[in-house]
Amino acid sequence: MDGVPPWLKAAISKRIDILGQRMHVHPMHREAWKQAGELFDKLRESFSEEQHRQFVEWEECMSLQESKEKEELYVRGFLDGFQMYASLDELIDQIPADERFKKEEPPH
């Protein structure tokens, strides 16, 4: 992600980690994780040792790639939101103060 300062990447990465941990144990998601674990246990029982090793290796690779893509989407969404806010702020500044908010004082 070109142009994104390292401190921002680190802050967003930490936020994603915290949210991920919370979601993983949240009651709304707990049943889905339990079901996925049970299905994986059944699948693992049908694998030979070599097949299991290959599957785990594949799954780790896929999981890492998905995590990287989700983090990039989060960063880009954050930056898009910030850019939209800045653009709207510039537009509001172009409106004369007495014409903003239907000639009322802006909310505090």
Side-chain angles (χ1 to χ4, degrees), residues 25-81:
V25 297
H26 191 280
M28 184 172 70
H29 302 286
R30 192 176 302 136
E31 187 60 35
W33 282 111
K34 181 181 174 191
Q35 183 182 9
E38 291 169 356
L39 290 170
F40 180 72
D41 288 342
K42 287 179 185 177
L43 183 63
R44 185 176 48 215
E45 290 170 7
S46 71
F47 284 160
S48 69
E49 212 172 292
E50 177 62 17
Q51 288 171 320
H52 180 257
R53 186 194 62 72
Q54 288 176 340
F55 180 79
V56 168
E57 188 178 321
W58 170 83
E59 197 276 332
E60 286 175 356
C61 181
M62 291 295 294
S63 181
L64 180 61
Q65 182 60 32
E66 287 177 344
S67 294
K68 287 178 182 179
E69 289 175 6
K70 286 179 184 177
E71 188 167 323
E72 185 171 343
L73 286 170
Y74 188 97
V75 170
R76 291 184 187 279
F78 174 84
L79 294 174
D80 288 348

